Amino acid sequence: MSVTAETHVHDDHDVHHHKETFVTKYIFSQDHKMIAKQYLITGIIMGVVGIMMSLMMRMQIAWPEKPNVLFEALLGKWAPEGVMDADIYLALVTIHGTIMVFFVLTAGLSGTFSNLLIPLQIGARDMASGFLNMISYWLFFLSSVIMILSLFVEAGPAAAGWTIYPPLSALPMAQGGSGAGMTLWLVSMAIFIASSLLGSLNYIVTVLNLRTKGMSMTRLPLTIWAFFVTAIIGVISFPVLLSAALLLIMDRSFGTSFFLSDIFIQGEVLHYQGGSPVLFEHLFWFLGHPEVYIVLLPALGITSEIIATNSRKPIFGYRAMVASILAIAFLSTIVWGHHMFISGMNPFLGSVFTFTTLLIAIPSAVKAFNYITTLWKGNLQMNPAMLFSIGLVSTFITGGLTGIILGDSALDINVHDTYFVVAHFHLVMGISALYGLFAGVYHWFPRMFGRMMNKNLGYLHFWVTAICAYGVFFPMHFIGMAGLPRRYYTNSNFPLFDDTTNTQVVITMFALVGGAFQLVFLYNFFSSMFYGKKAEQNPWKSNTLEWTAPVKHIHGNWPGALPTVYRWSYDYSKPGHEEDFVPQNVPMKDGEEELQH
């Protein structure tokens, strides 16, 4: 199979190379390495927008009703004389959540690293379909543009929370943010889902069909297992959100009543009857919970690779890690009801969802323990990628522990829709996945751009980010347990919550410092791209195949024949070898045993 693929690609290669223009190389590229860079840079730009929104929300909550020059400059008519309008606050929550979850952590993480690493780590010339891959990126780009454009709608951007529950999302006349802004949100998400499905199908086919000679499934790096399973979850769950979005568009524009029933607006009875907003919750969370793992699994896969490489040890419990990825994927599709414990759900059904939710703690704990055991007595190389990976293990554990409380229907009722929930999912999903993204960028930057990032700026970025992330989200658990509801643009009308004001100011200060220090990363990233130290072929002394390809990107990844694989990807510090790493394409010595994973 590889021979035919090779000859085909070489013919292709000759055709392409004579007439490769700026447009075919940098814009409509079908090369997975270029598409990975496009995803990453688009994701970073969207991330800047998302973080700016969260900082505006934090400033509003810390100093409500105080004029702010920044609000006046950025929000215009939504901040008359610098005081934020109540309606725009919910819109900021909505767009911030949507951008960070879908556009940064789903596309930025999966899109970048699945594209970059799947062909390189399995020994393939490119993705199964370069054309589909290109279409997938440009659909993502189009949906990003539409999402950003929705911010400039006259009546305001979508404002129903990032979960867009009806009736706010289903009735265009409900409020300003329910009009054209909401329609654009739905169109953007429909295009995003199409992009995600095309990408996922491509990743699955590539992993199954294009592995090089000797690359059995049990020799795959854990990164590839994570991307592969993530793609499968995406294919199963994203169509459900698409159906919910389409039914919502029908309710909004064509007079149907899938999600609406017995609605009054200003005393006037609307004609809708027979629908159920709870049906929308089921459809949304059937994607919404697997989405958490679509975001997390790639980050965990990246962490597995980086921790093993920088501990100079084989990953502990390879097969258990693969099994835990598969178990998480299966369980993630049967726990969505824990988001709906207070929607009037039958208590027995609540107990079933509690059981399945607590069950998912087992494979998650397997991963956490295996990371810690891999680090144990390792020859640790503390570079920025390794620090972010260890940081991920920390936030994964601290954020996961509060999930046990929220997954229990009896306990969840007390803290549902408070800042406790915000603290939980930002730590376990937001910060953990962001650390995975940063770790991946620091680790594979030389593979992407042929240069090294500045290590000292990386250390500065990590320590300030780590301290500020805990500074922001740790206190939120306490104000959540005090009963403070989320999504309120000010709490000054409730004397009950006066005690939380100082805590909110502290949280905001940490958020502003942490947000500002992301500029260090941006500077490091963009300046290293042009002026960084030139990278050698295998700077981290790693075993996986991507480091056997030449530093300079070439069409088809390897000149000449594809590498043949003789061993698994974690032969670090193996007795009988002079170096403390043995790349996968090095043949076994006489009498050498392949490690039992």
Side-chain angles (χ1 to χ4, degrees), residues 26-239:
Y26 292 105
I27 301 177
F28 296 114
S29 172
Q30 296 189 20
D31 184 325
H32 71 100
K33 301 180 289 297
M34 183 55 68
I35 293 172
K37 292 179 197 174
Q38 290 175 322
Y39 265 111
L40 180 59
I41 289 169
T42 313
I44 286 174
I45 293 166
M46 293 299 277
V48 170
V49 176
I51 289 173
M52 285 291 291
M53 289 180 166
S54 64
L55 295 181
M56 284 197 283
M57 282 147 46
R58 285 304 331 158
M59 286 188 280
Q60 163 62 21
I61 286 189
W63 303 290
E65 283 130 37
K66 280 195 184 158
N68 187 318
V69 187
L70 196 66
F71 291 171
E72 202 164 6
L74 292 175
L75 299 175
K77 69 169 186 178
W78 299 108
E81 294 172 11
V83 178
M84 189 185 288
D85 185 73
D87 289 340
I88 201 67
Y89 182 81
L90 187 57
L92 288 175
V93 172
T94 305
I95 308 294
H96 161 75
T98 308
I99 284 178
M100 297 310 282
V101 170
F102 294 109
F103 292 84
V104 179
L105 298 178
T106 303
L109 204 57
S110 278
T112 301
F113 293 106
S114 299
N115 269 307
L116 178 72
L117 297 178
I118 288 177
L120 281 167
Q121 289 195 339
I122 67 173
R125 294 280 179 210
D126 206 312
M127 282 289 176
S129 167
F131 180 72
L132 264 191
N133 212 12
M134 177 187 80
I135 297 288
S136 168
Y137 169 72
W138 281 104
L139 285 175
F140 164 59
F141 182 79
L142 178 62
S143 70
S144 303
V145 168
I146 293 173
M147 190 60 74
I148 296 296
L149 285 178
S150 78
L151 299 175
F152 301 99
V153 167
E154 180 76 21
W162 78 277
T163 54
I164 58 158
Y165 285 175
L168 281 184
S169 58
L171 291 172
M173 68 292 267
Q175 55 168 356
S178 299
M182 191 72 234
T183 306
L184 286 173
W185 191 99
L186 289 164
V187 170
S188 170
M189 283 311 299
I191 297 170
F192 177 85
I193 292 166
S195 150
S196 204
L197 287 173
L198 290 179
S200 297
L201 290 169
N202 217 351
Y203 307 150
I204 293 167
V205 172
T206 307
V207 172
L208 290 178
N209 288 349
L210 295 186
R211 300 193 307 281
T212 189
K213 187 178 175 191
M215 180 62 87
S216 62
M217 292 297 273
T218 50
R219 285 177 175 171
L220 285 175
L222 287 168
T223 33
I224 302 300
W225 270 108
F227 300 144
F228 175 59
V229 172
T230 300
I232 293 171
I233 305 175
V235 167
I236 291 167
S237 55
F238 265 119

Side-chain angles (χ1 to χ4, degrees), residues 109 222-223 226-227 229-230 233 292-302 324-325 328-329 367:
L109 204 57
L222 287 168
T223 33
F227 300 144
V229 172
T230 300
I233 305 175
V292 172
Y293 294 99
I294 290 172
V295 160
L296 255 180
L297 282 178
L300 293 170
I302 286 167
S324 69
I325 290 173
I328 284 172
K367 296 192 87 60

Side-chain angles (χ1 to χ4, degrees), residues 291-481:
E291 171 64 24
V292 172
Y293 294 99
I294 290 172
V295 160
L296 255 180
L297 282 178
L300 293 170
I302 286 167
T303 297
S304 305
E305 183 60 38
I306 293 173
I307 284 183
T309 300
N310 290 305
S311 299
R312 316 309 293 162
K313 276 176 65 184
I315 191 85
F316 183 87
Y318 174 91
R319 285 174 191 263
M321 290 295 250
V322 172
S324 69
I325 290 173
L326 295 169
I328 284 172
F330 169 67
L331 290 170
S332 75
T333 59
I334 54 169
V335 296
W336 78 92
H338 65 219
H339 296 269
M340 300 168 54
F341 284 144
I342 63 164
S343 64
M345 175 186 283
N346 181 316
F348 174 73
L349 187 59
S351 66
V352 171
F353 279 121
T354 297
F355 175 68
T356 56
T357 303
L358 297 183
L359 217 52
I360 212 164
I362 298 169
S364 303
V366 166
K367 296 192 87 60
F369 286 126
N370 284 11
Y371 290 138
I372 293 167
T373 325
T374 305
L375 291 166
W376 180 250
K377 293 191 174 175
N379 174 16
L380 304 183
Q381 316 293 308
M382 287 297 186
N383 48 46
M386 180 66 153
L387 288 175
F388 273 109
S389 297
I390 295 170
L392 181 149
V393 178
S394 164
T395 54
F396 185 58
I397 294 170
T398 45
L401 287 172
T402 53
I404 295 172
I405 294 166
L406 294 169
D408 187 311
S409 51
L411 298 175
D412 173 70
I413 290 167
N414 303 296
V415 286
H416 189 91
D417 255 340
T418 66
Y419 271 83
F420 193 87
V421 179
V422 178
H424 158 73
F425 77 79
H426 276 84
L427 278 178
V428 80
M429 172 169 121
I431 300 296
S432 297
L434 213 50
Y435 282 0
L437 178 65
F438 287 140
V441 170
Y442 282 108
H443 190 75
W444 280 290
F445 191 87
R447 182 60 273 180
M448 276 182 161
F449 298 102
R451 293 178 181 271
M452 305 295 285
M453 287 179 81
N454 182 314
K455 203 173 178 180
N456 291 333
L457 287 180
Y459 289 141
L460 179 66
H461 176 220
F462 170 74
W463 285 111
V464 177
T465 303
I467 292 164
C468 289
Y470 272 135
V472 169
F473 297 114
F474 209 77
M476 280 191 191
H477 293 95
F478 300 106
I479 56 178
M481 286 192 285

